[in-house]
């Protein structure tokens, strides 16, 4: 949890955009505003604000860096063909 002011400060620092794709998303209902508050599921620490798609994507990859790396490698390899 963070305060409303902390949310606003993070939102300002991110120029009102998702920390990953830089989009503005108006579909979040679990935050103070339009972006989700992303947190580490292991430590509970807040990492940043994400749009709904990026927030779900990290969750679907279980916040696992190796899986994300594998996905990047897959995309790079498929573009090379």
């Amino acid at each position: 949890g963070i305060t409303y002011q902390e949310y606003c400060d993070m939102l300002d620092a991110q120029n009102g955009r998702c920390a990953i794709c830089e989009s503005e998303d108006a579909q979040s209902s679990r935050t103070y505003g339009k972006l989700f508050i992303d947190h580490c599921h292991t430590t509970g620490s807040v990492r940043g604000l994400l749009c709904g798609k990026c927030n779900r994507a990290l969750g679907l990859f279980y916040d696992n860096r190796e899986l994300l790396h594998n996905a990047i490698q897959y995309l790079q390899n498929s573009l090379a063909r």
Side-chain angles (χ1 to χ4, degrees), residues 5-18 33-35 49:
Q5 186 58 53
E6 289 171 323
Y7 178 90
C8 290
D9 291 344
M10 290 179 79
L11 191 62
D12 286 343
Q14 293 181 203
N15 296 316
R17 299 182 177 279
C18 173
K34 57 189 171 182
L35 296 174
L49 304 176

Side-chain angles (χ1 to χ4, degrees), residues 31-70:
T31 65
Y32 293 114
K34 57 189 171 182
L35 296 174
F36 286 85
I37 301 168
D38 178 50
H39 69 283
C40 174
H41 291 96
T42 303
T43 66
S45 62
V46 174
R47 296 186 286 213
L49 304 176
L50 301 177
C51 71
K53 288 182 181 180
C54 289
N55 188 51
R56 284 189 299 279
L58 287 183
L60 290 170
F61 279 102
Y62 308 105
D63 293 347
N64 183 310
R65 292 177 185 175
E66 185 176 346
L67 289 178
L68 287 166
H69 176 73
N70 291 346

